[in-house]
Amino acid sequence: MNTVFHLSSADEINEDLIKSIKAAFKNKPISVTVEEDFSILGWQKEEVIRRAKYAEENPDSLLDFDDFIENFEKKLLDEKS
C-alpha cells in the first residue's frame, strides 16, 4: 500500500501529521522518502515550445516511432546477414 503526502515545505510537518501517521500505520513498517521539487529551466521550456511549434507547422518532418524502430531492426538484421 502506498500513501503519499504532498507538502509545500518541511514546515508543514507538525505533531498532528505525525500523530495521524502513527494512528494509521501503528506497528506496521513504513518508509519515508523526501523528494525535492524538480523545476524545468526556462531555456528547456522554450526549446520544447519551439520544437512543438515546428512539429505542428511541419507534420511531415515527424517520424512514427514504431515504424522507425521496425525499420531500424530490419536494417540491423540485414547487416548481420
Side-chain angles (χ1 to χ4, degrees):
M1 179 177 126
N2 287 330
T3 302
V4 179
F5 296 92
H6 294 279
L7 307 172
S8 62
S9 74
D11 292 335
E12 289 187 30
I13 301 171
N14 56 35
E15 285 300 315
D16 291 337
L17 177 62
I18 292 172
K19 285 179 186 176
S20 67
I21 292 171
K22 285 182 176 182
F25 299 101
K26 299 192 186 206
N27 295 325
K28 298 175 187 172
I30 65 169
S31 297
V32 176
T33 302
V34 177
E35 295 179 4
E36 293 184 64
D37 279 346
F38 177 77
S39 60
I40 300 173
L41 301 175
W43 70 268
Q44 291 172 324
K45 288 179 187 177
E46 291 170 11
E47 183 64 17
V48 169
I49 291 168
R50 185 186 70 76
R51 291 181 185 192
K53 182 179 177 185
Y54 179 84
E56 188 176 311
E57 293 171 353
N58 301 282
D60 294 341
S61 71
L62 302 176
L63 298 175
D64 179 280
F65 182 77
D66 292 329
D67 289 343
F68 173 80
I69 293 299
E70 184 179 327
N71 291 333
F72 186 71
E73 288 172 342
K74 284 179 185 176
K75 181 181 177 186
L76 287 176
L77 290 174
D78 288 345
E79 288 177 2
K80 288 184 179 181
S81 300

